[in-house]
């Protein structure tokens, strides 16, 4: 089988808007990761950036099922001995409203330079407004 190599100039990049209000965190993140990766295009290649741009609005109103709001923990480490910190979903969304969705999307993208580049194609905003109207984004219903 021959490996597909798509020239960056040949890739048609679109902009999409997703309203995350009331949607389940993991399902929205999986759909966004698929669009950013380019898996819905016939020219998809796992080693190239062939995906589209995604703008997410109302990220502060994202939903989680069950008791995850109190039980789901997000960890980070200060770098010092005993410096493991944990914060639950409720507190994290109170401090940084877009962080849970950004972290979920980041976890679903490939690790390494390609994943870091793809993460820049996702714009997450806690409220209903975004500054990307000039790109004429299409609305996607989930």
């Amino acid at each position: 089988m021959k490996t597909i190599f798509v020239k960056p100039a040949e890739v048609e990049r679109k902009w999409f808007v997703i309203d995350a209000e009331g949607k389940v965190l993991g399902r929205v993140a999986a759909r966004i990761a698929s669009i950013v990766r380019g898996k819905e295009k016939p020219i998809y290649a796992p080693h190239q950036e062939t995906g589209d741009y995604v703008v997410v609005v109302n990220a502060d109103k994202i939903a989680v099922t069950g008791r995850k709001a109190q039980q789901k923990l997000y960890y980070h480490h200060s770098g010092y001995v005993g410096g493991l910190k944990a914060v639950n979903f409720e507190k994290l969304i109170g401090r940084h409203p877009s962080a849970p969705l950004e972290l979920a999307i980041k976890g679903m993208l490939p690790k390494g330079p390609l994943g870091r580049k793809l993460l820049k194609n996702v714009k997450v905003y806690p409220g209903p407004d975004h500054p990307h109207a000039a790109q004429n984004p299409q609305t996607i219903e989930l």
Side-chain angles (χ1 to χ4, degrees):
M1 185 172 184
K2 190 174 179 183
T3 303
I4 299 170
F5 286 98
V6 181
K7 294 177 183 157
E10 295 175 0
V11 178
E12 182 185 340
R13 315 292 289 292
K14 295 180 183 174
W15 284 76
F16 295 104
V17 172
I18 294 178
D19 187 3
E21 184 174 0
K23 306 290 191 302
V24 180
L25 174 66
R27 292 179 184 272
V28 172
R31 181 71 194 273
I32 292 168
S34 178
I35 293 169
V36 169
R37 203 73 213 272
K39 287 190 164 190
E40 299 176 351
K41 293 183 174 186
I43 60 168
Y44 169 71
H47 61 282
Q48 288 185 301
E49 181 187 9
T50 58
D52 297 316
Y53 295 94
V54 177
V55 178
V56 184
V57 294
N58 291 322
D60 57 343
K61 297 180 180 85
I62 196 116
V64 288
T65 58
R67 293 173 48 199
K68 290 188 194 88
Q70 295 83 29
Q71 292 179 344
K72 182 170 179 55
L73 296 176
Y74 294 90
Y75 297 99
H76 67 277
H77 200 282
S78 67
Y80 291 95
V81 176
L84 184 65
K85 310 284 185 186
V87 63
N88 67 8
F89 177 84
E90 282 181 337
K91 288 183 182 175
L92 183 63
I93 207 158
R95 288 185 198 153
H96 306 286
S98 60
L101 185 58
E102 289 172 355
L103 289 169
I105 296 166
K106 181 181 178 182
M108 294 180 186
L109 291 175
K111 289 13 171 204
L114 178 63
R116 290 189 292 272
K117 186 158 177 33
L118 291 174
L119 194 59
K120 292 178 184 176
N121 296 343
V122 180
K123 317 294 183 188
V124 182
Y125 298 100
D129 302 323
H130 64 86
H132 303 286
Q135 283 76 24
N136 296 323
Q138 301 171 1
T139 304
I140 294 179
E141 291 296 325
L142 300 179

